[in-house]
Amino acid sequence: MTKDIRIKSDDAKRLKADTAFTDFIEDVRNEQIRLFTTSVAQDIEIREEAHAMLRALTKIEVELDAAIMAETLLDRKQ
């Protein structure tokens, strides 16, 4: 279990440090914000999809941070 936490944390750190990955995430986020902010009143589906994508991107970032924090907590316990 300890090994799994460390591997997951290392993977998360690697992804967060990867500029191609972070640039891709930021590009997708900006596009979804643009779709959301430029939509007209009738574009309900477009706004809902953009909102769902933004939530998914946030969830990915939260999961990466959680994996890193799990290793930090593990180190503090030991």
Side-chain angles (χ1 to χ4, degrees), residues 7-72:
I7 291 170
K8 196 170 183 178
S9 176
D10 288 344
D11 290 343
K13 288 175 186 174
R14 195 170 23 264
L15 282 173
K16 287 188 69 134
D18 185 334
T19 56
F21 176 76
T22 56
D23 288 349
F24 173 75
I25 293 291
E26 191 62 29
D27 289 346
V28 173
R29 182 184 308 283
N30 289 337
E31 175 64 14
Q32 297 309 309
I33 290 170
R34 186 194 64 74
L35 287 172
F36 194 87
T37 58
T38 61
S39 65
V40 295
Q42 297 85 350
D43 293 339
I44 296 168
E45 279 187 41
I46 291 171
R47 281 193 306 278
E48 286 181 359
E49 185 175 336
H51 183 255
M53 289 291 290
L54 289 167
R55 289 179 52 213
L57 292 171
T58 299
K59 178 71 172 159
I60 290 168
E61 291 171 336
V62 166
E63 288 296 318
L64 292 173
D65 291 340
I68 294 167
M69 185 56 67
E71 182 182 40
T72 302

